[in-house]
Amino acid sequence: MNNKSLGLLALAGAPFFLLSSFLQPYFSFLHPQQFYGIWGTIYISAWMCSILLLQRLKAMGENRFGKALLWVQLLFLLLAKLSNLYQVVLPGDRSLAFIILDSFWPLSNLLMLVVGITIAIARRLQGWRRFVPLFVGCWFPVMIISMNLFGRGGTTGTIGAVYSAIAWSLLAVALLTIKPGKSAIIFRDQKWKAA
């Protein structure tokens, strides 16, 4: 799959976390856990597309830490995706296996903060694009603050869903708009040159 296709899939799936909040009543024939499992699977698939693009663009640099960190992120996302599929097949089940798999949702978000910081420090993405992964990674601290201020209710859920849709859409747009020969990214291997 080429970079443009990955970027478009990332953009298309970015708002699914937010959309699920509005569309759930129209899917009342599904168990709520099945519904959120399906939509969560789509959302995480889009997230994985963004991570693959960051990996292809060498946004973390070329050191082992950066390369390994994105592979770990993909592994965490795969495990979080399995928790969604688990909900589709066994809605309402709260076995130890599900709890372990489901813990990779917050762990993926926490790791995204580390990814964002690392990309900002690596300076491979230039201009405003350099800080977009960090903005995405800030979802986790924003949610912690929101939970402390408003609890775990609807307000926190809305803040998380809106922030997520904006942040992931912005990341997809940032990655889609990188053009060869522009100063958006610097490659040492000279595939793309800075203007």
Side-chain angles (χ1 to χ4, degrees):
M1 185 175 298
N2 65 32
N3 289 356
K4 185 176 181 181
S5 297
L6 281 174
L8 290 173
L9 287 172
L11 184 59
F16 267 63
F17 186 41
L18 175 62
L19 291 174
S20 67
S21 305
F22 299 108
L23 297 177
Q24 201 274 332
Y26 300 104
F27 290 84
S28 57
F29 58 90
L30 289 174
H31 187 284
Q33 295 300 315
Q34 287 178 313
F35 172 80
Y36 288 114
I38 292 167
W39 285 73
T41 299
I42 295 168
Y43 173 75
I44 284 200
S45 296
W47 187 346
M48 292 174 90
C49 289
S50 292
I51 297 301
L52 284 170
L53 259 175
L54 288 169
Q55 195 174 51
R56 286 183 181 183
L57 296 171
K58 300 179 184 178
M60 305 271 291
E62 297 183 43
N63 60 56
R64 288 183 184 174
F65 174 76
K67 290 177 182 178
L69 190 59
L70 287 177
W71 281 111
V72 171
Q73 179 74 326
L74 284 170
L75 174 63
F76 278 23
L77 290 170
L78 178 62
L79 293 170
K81 187 188 249 188
L82 289 176
S83 80
N84 289 327
L85 296 173
Y86 195 110
Q87 288 182 63
V88 173
V89 176
L90 297 169
D93 182 68
R94 290 293 175 260
S95 67
L96 180 60
F98 172 76
I99 291 168
I100 291 170
L101 289 173
D102 196 48
S103 70
F104 284 93
W105 263 95
L107 288 173
S108 296
N109 281 290
L110 181 58
L111 188 59
M112 192 64 208
L113 180 59
V114 177
V115 167
I117 292 168
T118 306
I119 289 172
I121 292 170
R123 295 175 181 249
R124 296 291 296 232
L125 298 179
Q126 299 299 299
W128 63 275
R129 289 172 181 86
R130 175 180 163 201
F131 299 102
V132 174
L134 180 57
F135 177 66
V136 171
C138 284
W139 181 91
F140 189 82
V142 165
M143 290 306 295
I144 296 296
I145 292 167
S146 182
M147 281 190 280
N148 283 316
L149 291 175
F150 307 112
R152 292 179 172 258
T155 301
T156 295
T158 300
I159 289 169
V162 170
Y163 189 101
S164 174
I166 292 169
W168 283 109
S169 296
L170 186 59
L171 180 60
V173 168
L175 297 175
L176 274 168
T177 57
I178 292 175
K179 303 287 184 202
K182 301 295 182 187
S183 60
I185 192 162
I186 296 175
F187 276 123
R188 289 190 184 134
D189 61 11
Q190 301 302 311
K191 285 182 184 173
W192 288 356
K193 297 178 182 177

